[in-house]
Amino acid sequence: MPHFKKPAEGSWTEHLKIGTEPVSYEDSISPEQYEREREAIFKRTWLNVGRVEQLPRKGSYFTKELDAARTSVVVVRGTDGEVRAFHNVCRHRGNKLVWNDFPREETSGVCRQFTCKYHAWRYDLDGKLAFVQQEGEFFDLDKSAYGLKQVQTEVWEGFVFVNLDPENTTPLRAYLGEFAKGIEGYPFHKLTQVHKYRAEIGSNWKLFIDAFAEFYHAPILHSGQYMADEARKIQKYGYEALHYDIDGPHSMVSSWGGIAPPHDRKMVKPIEAALHSGLFGPWDAPDIGLALEDLPPAINPSRDKRWGMDSFVFFPNFMLLIWRPNWVLTYHYWPTSYNTHIFEGTCYFVPPENAFQRLQQELAAVSFKEYGLQDGNTLEATQTMLESRAVRDFPLNDQEVLLRHLHRTARAYVDDHQRRSAEAGTPATS
Amino acid sequence: MASVFPDGFEALEPFADWAVRGEKARYAKRLASTMDELDAFYNVAFPLLESSKDYLEQVSMEDISEQDKRLLWLFCALVTVAFPVEAWRQPRVPDSGPSTIDAILEPAV
């Protein structure tokens, strides 16, 4: 018995015209396909690498490891206040320019210039080569030709994106499409209280997006998070979303409210009842200057009173969750091989005014982590069994429509890149 | 010497070692503890959390005292400990095997 209305076609999947057949996950277990994805996707699309709040003043910088694109970038706020990104490589002998103790770990700070640890070549915040050690020993060195290699950088609503492909001239806003347009105006800049988590996951990057792009699994995998009687009720109820949509490579699911706060307080654990908070965030939403009905149009697109949160998948690896109680969660999935990736989950809250609010936020952030641990480990089990290739086709239901779209999109990017490379007579992978 | 916690929270003194700064360190302490230890801490701290909403709401984050800071860290530890006590009945998340999710950026207090 459906709880929410579906489109006239009878299903979201048919409405969105993305096929209903069983799906192969060969794209998540093939090392060769992963190499193709690196070229076709991670070296060529806009990737969100952080927030402007990470660059509070001139000279603020952070590095981002982009293993799937085989590079590292340094993102910096210049003396003119502009945000720029550069390949994190010294033009002299190719040393990684900005790192601290551990070359493979990301770092951040404030500086006036970047100095290479190897031979002390120095670059200003705009990437210009400013100083060469023993310059006279070189041969007609034209310093102006050896600035840092710049990467396209644009900011959308405070989210900093880079695009490693100099030939990809699609502006960020055009790439992010209708969902981004419909989110603009949400006061992300007021949500500056940050809890950030990181995990190394033994699965293909898309499989974790799959896990977080559907909630069909939540009443089952996470049932231990509820009181026992309630877990049984929730399983019987199952999960249905309010709304699904796709726009180009991107997709979204809009969900009902769940437990923030629950109608039936028996559903919640004692700590949640004591703090009025839980996975869905603090139950009492802080003032963000926007009433529920005034939220930008892409948020709660069905304008349903029961709305609880929206989850946007901006292809390839950036997920943005906007919760009814006025907080935001982002997920990033950074591939490191065909069957491993780094997962990042970041909670953004309005800064708490008092210790009680701080505890409410702590419970929301820690709840996300407890759930995430269950998801992350399950994925390792999934990856190993997919790799057995004992089963090759998997049926996806109408609540798993975002997964179907993600795998289709990733395959389409690869196929399109292969075709264009063949036409141009260049190898599709380097 | 001033007491570790504000007046009215003397019952927490035996559990002062739970006033740990940082979620990563609090989580590590949870994993290193037995269920008996987690229960003992929870059984004393949880009723105090329940009864001190009014107190905590008047503790401003702008000029929080050292005593209130320790109290806040201890209650943050209680949040972390509530999962094994109320749901898992074991320090680790069930079925989480060797997986970890680490806090890499946290609010200063």
Side-chain angles (χ1 to χ4, degrees):
Chain A
M1 167 81 177
H3 301 288
F4 302 120
K5 196 164 176 281
K6 289 199 179 190
E9 292 87 344
S11 82
W12 291 103
T13 313
E14 287 164 304
H15 171 69
L16 297 168
K17 299 184 175 57
I18 53 173
T20 56
E21 66 285 354
V23 166
S24 159
Y25 291 121
E26 188 64 26
D27 65 339
S28 300
I29 58 175
S30 156
E32 295 78 20
Q33 186 71 0
Y34 174 62
E35 292 304 316
R36 293 180 200 118
E37 287 180 350
R38 293 163 79 116
E39 292 294 329
I41 299 171
F42 288 93
K43 287 186 180 178
R44 287 184 163 70
T45 54
W46 284 103
L47 304 171
N48 173 242
V49 291
R51 289 272 316 161
V52 287
E53 288 82 8
Q54 293 170 258
L55 305 167
R57 53 184 185 271
K58 292 165 183 174
S60 295
Y61 67 87
F62 64 86
T63 64
K64 188 76 210 165
E65 295 303 296
L66 301 173
D67 193 78
R70 287 206 174 92
T71 194
S72 163
V73 293
V74 53
V75 185
V76 60
R77 189 180 290 281
T79 48
D80 56 359
E82 285 295 303
V83 176
R84 295 183 180 82
F86 304 96
H87 284 280
N88 190 6
V89 54
C90 178
R91 294 296 303 268
H92 171 224
R93 291 256 299 279
N95 186 29
K96 182 177 269 193
L97 181 64
V98 183
W99 52 279
N100 187 21
D101 268 334
F102 302 95
R104 288 174 173 274
E105 290 186 7
E106 292 166 357
T107 187
S108 63
V110 185
C111 68
R112 279 193 247 178
Q113 56 190 0
F114 299 115
T115 305
C116 183
K117 293 177 193 287
Y118 205 173
H119 306 93
W121 280 37
R122 297 206 293 260
Y123 303 85
D124 70 15
L125 301 178
D126 299 341
K128 273 205 302 293
L129 177 57
F131 171 79
V132 171
Q133 177 78 11
Q134 290 173 263
E135 191 176 344
E137 293 292 318
F138 286 85
F139 306 95
D140 302 321
L141 187 74
D142 174 7
K143 290 217 290 293
S144 70
Y146 290 94
L148 294 179
K149 204 166 168 201
Q150 194 160 349
V151 174
Q152 292 190 81
T153 310
E154 286 189 44
V155 178
W156 169 76
E157 297 295 283
F159 291 98
V160 180
F161 286 73
V162 299
N163 188 328
L164 299 165
D165 180 5
E167 291 173 16
N168 181 343
T169 55
T170 306
L172 173 64
R173 266 289 288 106
Y175 175 72
L176 294 178
E178 289 300 312
F179 297 143
K181 189 176 160 194
I183 291 170
E184 280 167 14
Y186 187 86
F188 293 105
H189 62 282
K190 292 184 180 172
L191 279 56
T192 54
Q193 179 87 347
V194 180
H195 299 243
K196 183 169 183 177
Y197 294 90
R198 179 184 191 274
E200 294 179 19
I201 304 287
S203 87
N204 184 271
W205 61 283
K206 295 186 296 299
L207 295 182
F208 208 159
I209 300 182
D210 289 353
F212 279 165
E214 57 84 3
F215 304 112
Y216 170 55
H217 77 276
I220 311 301
L221 181 62
H222 306 305
S223 63
Q225 300 248 9
Y226 302 104
M227 309 307 278
D229 286 351
E230 299 310 312
R232 278 189 287 277
K233 264 192 236 170
I234 292 168
Q235 286 184 14
K236 204 170 162 195
Y237 193 88
Y239 179 80
E240 289 174 37
L242 289 174
H243 189 81
Y244 291 98
D245 202 359
I246 59 177
D247 174 45
H250 317 299
S251 57
M252 71 89 64
V253 49
S254 185
S255 182
W256 63 294
I259 52 167
H263 296 299
D264 180 356
R265 294 297 165 95
K266 284 195 306 238
M267 273 177 76
V268 302
K269 298 195 289 293
I271 192 76
E272 295 172 325
L275 287 175
H276 284 203
S277 179
L279 179 71
F280 287 50
W283 300 344
D284 318 307
D287 181 11
I288 55 167
L290 277 179
L292 194 60
E293 56 276 15
D294 298 329
L295 287 172
I299 303 170
N300 184 16
S302 59
R303 288 297 187 245
D304 195 303
K305 286 190 171 59
R306 297 162 291 182
W307 175 72
M309 63 89 82
D310 287 339
S311 189
F312 296 89
V313 183
F314 288 105
F315 187 79
N317 69 335
F318 172 45
M319 275 177 75
L320 175 61
L321 282 71
I322 298 176
W323 298 81
R324 182 182 186 125
N326 295 344
W327 68 289
V328 162
L329 179 56
T330 63
Y331 300 139
H332 294 83
Y333 314 81
W334 299 105
T336 48
S337 79
Y338 78 99
N339 61 7
T340 55
H341 71 276
I342 303 289
F343 166 75
E344 293 171 342
T346 314
C347 309
Y348 296 91
F349 299 103
V350 173
E353 288 172 9
N354 59 56
F356 190 77
Q357 290 177 357
R358 172 69 181 78
L359 285 167
Q360 291 182 301
Q361 296 177 358
E362 182 78 10
L363 179 57
V366 166
S367 297
F368 145 72
K369 173 181 156 168
E370 300 275 320
Y371 277 79
L373 278 163
Q374 294 183 316
D375 289 297
N377 200 48
T378 299
L379 291 171
E380 306 205 4
T382 303
Q383 182 76 32
T384 54
M385 289 320 295
L386 290 178
E387 286 182 26
S388 78
R389 291 184 171 80
V391 178
R392 289 171 184 271
D393 293 310
F394 299 88
L396 290 182
N397 72 34
D398 204 35
Q399 303 296 327
E400 295 171 313
V401 56
L402 267 58
L403 292 56
R404 188 183 288 279
H405 182 60
L406 173 67
H407 290 265
R408 274 171 71 96
T409 302
R411 279 196 303 272
Y413 264 70
V414 166
D415 292 348
D416 187 50
H417 179 64
Q418 301 274 108
R419 198 191 65 246
R420 279 185 287 117
S421 301
E423 284 166 10
T426 54
T429 51
S430 52
Chain B
M1 192 184 123
S3 46
V4 177
F5 301 112
D7 290 347
F9 294 93
E10 291 79 7
L12 295 173
E13 302 280 335
F15 301 96
D17 60 337
W18 280 102
V20 177
R21 181 181 183 165
E23 192 272 334
K24 190 175 179 179
R26 292 190 286 266
Y27 190 71
K29 185 166 170 61
R30 159 178 147 183
L31 292 189
S33 301
T34 64
M35 271 318 294
D36 284 347
E37 289 165 336
L38 299 181
D39 283 335
F41 169 48
Y42 180 94
N43 289 339
V44 171
F46 186 76
L48 270 168
L49 175 69
E50 272 189 310
S51 61
S52 30
K53 181 170 190 256
D54 291 347
Y55 178 82
L56 293 166
E57 280 181 333
Q58 58 80 37
V59 173
S60 162
M61 296 302 289
E62 287 287 314
D63 49 7
I64 188 167
S65 69
E66 284 304 309
Q67 285 177 320
D68 284 330
K69 210 183 271 186
R70 284 192 292 267
L71 182 68
L72 178 55
W73 291 343
L74 179 132
F75 280 143
C76 283
L78 177 67
V79 167
T80 295
V81 163
F83 289 90
V85 172
E86 296 178 357
W88 312 135
R89 300 308 307 162
Q90 61 181 45
R92 280 196 71 82
V93 178
D95 293 331
S96 69
S99 63
T100 56
I101 298 182
D102 291 331
I104 55 168
L105 187 67
E106 295 184 71
V109 178

